[in-house]
Amino acid sequence: MQSEPRIIGFLCNWCSYAGADMAGTSRLKQPASVRIIRLPCTGRINPLLPLKALVDGADGVLISGCHPGDCHYREGNLYARRRLELLHRFLPFVGIDPKRLRYVWVSASEGQRWQAIVGEFTEQIKKLGTAKAQ
Amino acid sequence: MKDILAELKKKAAEILPEVSYFICYGSGFDLLHSAPLFVKDKGDIDRLVLNRFCIHNLTSYLPPQKWPPGWLLEPGEKIGLVLKGCDSRSVIHLLAEKAILRSRVIIIGLPCWGMIDVNKLRNRIDINRINRVEQDKESIMLFTDANEVSADIKDILYDKCINCQYPNTLISDHFIGAKKEPDKGVQPFGKVLELERMSLLERSAFWDKEFARCIRCKACRNVCPVCYCQNNCLLDTRVPHWIKERVDANSNRWYHLIRAFHLAGRCTECGECARVCPMRIPINLLAMKMNSELFELFGFRSGIDVNIKPPLMTFQLEEDKL
Ligand code: SF4
Ligand code: SF4
Ligand code: SF4
């Protein structure tokens, strides 16, 4: 893959978006591969959103929310965890590489962790190559 | 099944005064088909049939009762229903989802010996010209003017009937006949496992081919007992516009992926979607895959226990397997 991969990030407003923001304001170097979509909560993520991103040709989807137990709305990410795990396990059944999807928990103070995750995931997606739009 | 038909008719006559109508099976357009029958008058009870062709999941004909009162059912109105074991799972799931009210349905349960898949007879005889059928518990004889064949029932059953885990209706107000022993060692997700033996690329190609054949008639959705969104179905909604009307492999894929997620942990594996598909796409496998994962993760089987909350409607702070 020549250019940066296209990764769609679904981030919750309260923890992960703030965490990513922190990575930015602390000038931690990270690849410009992730296009972030900010949502109120990972519980808002209908699994069809990341799935549509993948089906329509995103090279990867990275989802991040508050750590379980720390959800701003108490339980949104706990519903999300079940849905996203199911999505992850379903993808290979329809021929989509599950390595293109990752869901993580990043808090508002974990700028460095975010930097590491984005770096790692971008590398992983680069190895997989460009996804074919379906 | 003949022996319990008389009993069924008797029971149907008994409950008819209590219900607005009774959903059961009547004869179909030929000897190899039955059809859903809606009985309102006592005089029609003689039209009931019970044979090896009663494949339809009659749950699909229950009006969704969570609609405002009076919209489809008057307050207090009841419906009678005859249910096979597999079909009763759909009713149980609808109850677990609180989509229907237990007090509004009167269910007659029965034991089932499996239904015949007419498609499995196609290469043996011209099924459009059958003029006589004889059957007993083990075999069936089919006659046309020119030809006759006999077949072992077990070779021509629907796939889901070959290994039946739930041959007796799981929830009923009246059970007729003697209970049948369930088959032993059933692998409920066998077809999913078969497909999983392929590589990622092979499976991708497999579905590409299947989705390209789909004509988007939406019969699979319409027949599904748990697809009860009716006017609110996402697949018919323009705002937001989730899916193109155009019928091609890509939008068809998206159609089926949407459905698969709407059915996760809800599909009761009745197989009706695949049965009614005019293109014979094994489309039930997508939701079945969801179910197999939910079984592995949460030990959940849909439509078995009214009191178990479907796994995607709940969570645990500490998940065992996540
Ligand atoms: S019934 Fe078959 S052809 Fe019709 S929409 Fe469903 S999968 Fe497509
Ligand atoms: S998706 Fe198919 S197998 Fe599952 S409940 Fe609906 S019709 Fe039955
Ligand atoms: S496809 Fe989804 S929205 Fe449509 S009827 Fe089924 S569950 Fe409802």
Side-chain angles (χ1 to χ4, degrees):
Chain A
M1 186 184 300
Q2 308 288 321
S3 53
E4 284 285 318
R6 280 169 309 172
I7 296 171
I8 310 295
F10 292 94
L11 272 59
C12 87
N13 183 37
W14 303 99
C15 297
S16 298
Y17 192 82
D21 200 35
M22 186 183 168
T25 47
S26 345
R27 304 196 178 265
L28 300 177
K29 230 177 141 33
Q30 46 178 318
S33 51
V34 184
R35 273 79 156 167
I36 293 176
I37 297 174
R38 171 153 60 147
L39 296 150
C41 175
T42 43
R44 162 67 180 92
I45 301 176
N46 180 339
L48 294 175
L49 297 173
L51 184 59
K52 183 142 180 65
L54 289 171
V55 166
D56 283 354
D59 297 320
V61 169
L62 181 59
I63 299 169
S64 182
C66 309
H67 287 273
D70 291 344
C71 175
H72 186 77
Y73 306 98
R74 293 218 333 259
E75 52 191 39
N77 58 355
L78 300 173
Y79 285 107
R81 182 167 56 180
R82 288 191 164 195
R83 294 173 192 152
L84 296 173
E85 177 63 22
L86 186 65
L87 171 62
H88 193 255
R89 286 163 172 252
F90 179 76
L91 289 178
F93 195 68
V94 283
I96 300 174
D97 196 326
K99 291 205 271 307
R100 294 193 184 274
L101 174 83
R102 193 163 166 211
Y103 67 96
V104 294
W105 316 116
V106 172
S107 81
S109 57
E110 292 178 321
Q112 288 204 322
R113 187 170 132 81
W114 175 254
Q115 178 201 25
I117 288 171
V118 170
E120 243 170 63
F121 190 62
T122 305
E123 276 314 304
Q124 179 173 323
I125 297 300
K126 274 188 182 159
K127 265 190 223 130
L128 292 175
T130 313
K132 84 171 172 26
Q134 298 186 314
Chain B
M1 288 193 161
K2 263 206 188 101
D3 34 332
I4 55 176
L5 178 60
E7 221 180 310
L8 175 63
K9 286 183 178 170
K10 213 171 104 215
K11 265 284 175 275
E14 246 174 69
I15 66 163
L16 205 53
E18 286 175 63
V19 298
S20 308
Y21 51 93
F22 183 66
I23 312 175
C24 50
Y25 300 99
S27 47
F29 61 90
D30 71 5
L31 293 169
L32 297 182
H33 292 85
S34 297
L37 178 69
F38 297 75
V39 174
K40 275 191 168 166
D41 304 320
K42 222 171 165 186
D44 283 336
I45 284 185
D46 261 341
R47 294 171 57 199
L48 260 71
V49 304
L50 215 46
N51 54 28
R52 292 274 194 178
F53 304 106
C54 298
I55 181 65
H56 320 72
N57 182 352
L58 297 181
T59 317
S60 309
Y61 296 93
L62 273 183
Q65 293 161 29
K66 65 178 182 192
W67 294 90
W71 206 74
L72 289 163
L73 275 185
E74 295 302 327
E77 196 180 337
K78 289 185 184 181
I79 290 174
L81 185 67
V82 44
L83 281 181
K84 307 190 292 290
C86 47
D87 306 342
S88 67
R89 289 182 63 192
S90 311
V91 167
I92 291 177
H93 183 78
L94 292 179
L95 289 167
E97 257 181 26
K98 301 196 171 34
I100 57 173
L101 291 172
R102 184 68 186 87
S103 57
R104 299 287 205 99
V105 279
I106 299 181
I107 301 165
I108 300 188
L110 35 78
C112 174
W113 279 271
M115 295 296 153
I116 292 173
D117 185 348
V118 177
N119 284 326
K120 294 190 180 174
L121 288 166
R122 264 177 214 280
N123 54 6
R124 302 183 189 218
I125 194 164
D126 180 358
I127 58 164
N128 296 319
R129 296 188 195 281
I130 304 289
N131 52 26
R132 190 155 64 91
V133 176
E134 282 173 19
Q135 52 177 313
D136 54 40
K137 269 200 170 147
E138 322 270 80
S139 63
I140 187 166
M141 294 273 288
L142 303 172
F143 302 86
T144 64
D145 285 337
N147 206 347
E148 62 174 82
V149 292
S150 78
D152 255 352
I153 298 269
K154 60 178 190 321
D155 297 335
I156 51 172
L157 287 178
Y158 274 96
D159 286 348
K160 70 167 181 178
C161 303
I162 294 172
N163 282 303
C164 177
Q165 214 174 351
Y166 307 104
N168 305 301
T169 311
L170 295 168
I171 187 172
S172 60
D173 299 286
H174 309 280
F175 194 92
I176 54 173
K179 295 212 164 164
K180 180 183 181 287
E181 274 294 305
D183 292 336
K184 297 249 156 43
V186 177
Q187 170 42 267
F189 309 117
K191 289 273 158 193
V192 167
L193 297 179
E194 260 173 50
L195 215 60
E196 283 184 332
R197 275 185 221 120
M198 295 181 184
S199 72
L200 196 69
L201 276 176
E202 282 167 351
R203 219 166 23 246
S204 173
F206 170 85
W207 285 116
D208 278 349
K209 213 168 122 209
E210 295 298 327
F211 292 144
R213 296 194 304 124
C214 168
I215 55 172
R216 202 95 73 75
C217 62
K218 297 187 183 170
C220 46
R221 175 203 62 180
N222 293 354
V223 79
C224 177
V226 298
C227 264
Y228 54 70
C229 305
Q230 309 226 339
N231 294 350
N232 298 323
C233 175
L234 189 108
L235 302 167
D236 290 334
T237 311
R238 299 279 175 102
V239 184
H241 203 185
W242 271 92
I243 181 164
K244 292 190 198 110
E245 280 68 28
R246 172 195 206 151
V247 177
D248 59 25
N250 292 341
S251 6
N252 292 349
R253 171 185 295 103
W254 187 230
Y255 166 95
H256 289 296
L257 290 177
I258 290 176
R259 264 199 88 235
F261 271 87
H262 286 191
L263 291 162
R266 305 181 61 241
C267 164
T268 51
E269 295 151 30
C270 65
E272 286 290 83
C273 45
R275 177 180 71 85
V276 299
C277 176
M279 305 308 288
R280 291 211 228 147
I281 298 169
I283 206 61
N284 62 324
L285 296 183
L286 293 181
M288 197 191 274
K289 165 68 180 172
M290 295 283 185
N291 283 6
S292 76
E293 291 300 338
L294 291 171
F295 180 65
E296 202 177 305
L297 285 170
F298 309 111
F300 175 77
R301 292 283 275 137
S302 58
I304 306 299
D305 186 341
V306 179
N307 299 311
I308 293 181
K309 223 180 194 185
L312 295 180
M313 290 168 77
T314 180
F315 61 82
Q316 282 182 318
L317 184 53
E318 303 287 336
E319 301 273 12
D320 301 335
K321 294 202 179 163
L322 302 188

